[in-house]
Amino acid sequence: MTTTTLAPMPTGSPLPAALEDRTVMIIGGSSGIGLAAGELLASVGARVVLVGRDKARLETALDHVRATPGASALGIAADGNDESAVERALDQAGQVDHVLVTAGTIAAGALLDTPRERVSEVVDGRIWGAYGVARAAAPRLPAGGSITFTSGLYLMRPVPGASASIAGIGAVEGLTRALAVELAPRRLRVNAVRYGVVDTPLARTAMELADDAAVAAAGEGLLIGRLGTAQEAASASLFLMANNLMTGTVLTVDGGQGLV
Ligand SMILES: NC(=O)c1ccc[n+]([C@@H]2O[C@H](COP(=O)([O-])OP(=O)(O)OC[C@H]3O[C@@H](n4cnc5c(N)ncnc54)[C@H](OP(=O)(O)O)[C@@H]3O)[C@@H](O)[C@H]2O)c1
């Protein structure tokens, strides 16, 4: 497939308000950071397409997004790791300008206790899910469009018992930089956000935080004295989508967790 180099990247306002009337598909949009991104995007007038696998969770998430006055939100139940399903979702959604991928989970297990088969689904999903989303989105996004992937601070500050998942997010960061170069002639941008610990259902389950008091206690030793909120984390993705100067960047959003 040959790619003709388009005219230079369009310029425009880099403020999140510039996302008004743009359509953003959030793969992993039915919970946590993805759902928070959906709510923020609706608040700046973007059309939001939430993608998740569990239909009931998706419906609940849609209710949250639609609570924003004037919100335009669509839900599509699909597996973001399935390239064909993502293609169908993009076609169903109509013109999509930006794609945010927050789908993913952590596979825990110490190296010597954890054969590859036990973690391969999660790790493969992380890597090949991102690759498949890019393949599906690249021919469909307009110039100035973007893809934003998800990484995590464990890549820089590893913890024992998560090596396979950490390798997976490392691959996603590599893919981000490589695709920023490869898709540049199409004037598409590719970025990632590297999150520290953010208070979401995933983090509460993974860290066995039973209630708000446990969440508060988990954040006490951090530089800002608490975990990040899903909204704080999600806002980074709006910045990356809206700003046409941003490509090939992995933005760390961690409340300084990487420093201590
Ligand atoms: N929270 C943190 O502290 C933290 C830190 C670093 C990195 N991260 C990463 O940030 C991302 C978002 O995390 P979160 O905490 O917001 O998680 P979350 O609350 O569990 O939300 C994840 C969302 O992704 C969806 N999803 C998962 N697999 C999917 C798939 N194959 N296809 C479509 N949707 C899928 C889930 O819905 P369904 O299960 O119904 O599909 C859910 O809506 C994850 O990749 C996570 O690893 C999180």
Side-chain angles (χ1 to χ4, degrees):
M1 184 173 63
T2 54
T3 301
T4 308
T5 300
L6 301 183
M9 186 73 73
T11 50
S13 167
L15 297 176
L19 295 169
E20 183 176 6
D21 292 331
R22 298 284 191 263
T23 300
V24 182
M25 176 173 283
I26 305 167
I27 298 175
S30 57
S31 176
I33 299 167
L35 173 55
E39 292 172 311
L40 288 176
L41 284 159
S43 76
V44 297
R47 287 183 290 273
V48 176
V49 183
L50 303 182
V51 176
R53 294 166 301 180
D54 185 282
K55 283 187 180 163
R57 200 199 267 208
L58 198 53
E59 285 305 319
T60 306
L62 279 170
D63 288 344
H64 282 289
V65 174
R66 287 174 178 150
T68 302
S72 167
L74 171 71
I76 299 176
D79 184 347
N81 295 342
D82 177 343
E83 185 179 323
S84 303
V86 176
E87 287 178 330
R88 286 194 296 276
L90 285 163
D91 290 339
Q92 184 183 338
Q95 174 68 65
V96 171
D97 299 283
H98 304 280
V99 178
L100 169 64
V101 183
T102 56
T105 188
I106 296 172
L111 179 72
L112 297 183
D113 301 333
T114 312
R116 176 179 159 174
E117 306 79 60
R118 188 130 35 101
V119 287
S120 62
E121 189 179 338
V122 168
V123 177
D124 286 1
R126 177 79 68 180
I127 300 170
W128 299 115
Y131 190 85
V133 167
R135 278 180 47 83
R140 291 171 170 81
L141 296 182
S146 72
I147 304 170
T148 306
F149 293 125
T150 289
S151 178
L153 190 64
Y154 284 169
L155 184 63
M156 308 312 289
R157 297 200 65 189
V159 293
S163 59
S165 274
I166 291 168
I169 54 177
V172 170
E173 290 201 10
L175 187 67
T176 298
R177 290 163 54 79
L179 292 182
V181 173
E182 183 166 336
L183 298 181
R186 293 175 178 268
R187 304 308 181 215
L188 298 180
R189 301 175 294 109
V190 186
N191 296 292
V193 185
R194 188 192 289 153
Y195 301 105
V197 183
V198 179
D199 180 13
T200 66
L202 175 73
R204 287 187 179 224
T205 302
M207 297 170 70
E208 298 179 351
L209 304 174
D211 51 27
D212 290 347
V215 171
E220 273 171 9
L222 304 179
L223 282 193
I224 64 167
R226 60 169 174 80
L227 303 187
T229 69
Q231 288 79 8
E232 289 168 334
S235 70
S237 62
L238 272 69
F239 164 70
L240 292 170
M241 286 173 209
N243 192 326
N244 281 353
L245 206 52
M246 299 307 298
T247 193
T249 291
V250 179
L251 191 59
T252 297
V253 181
D254 70 346
Q257 289 169 26
L259 298 175
V260 292

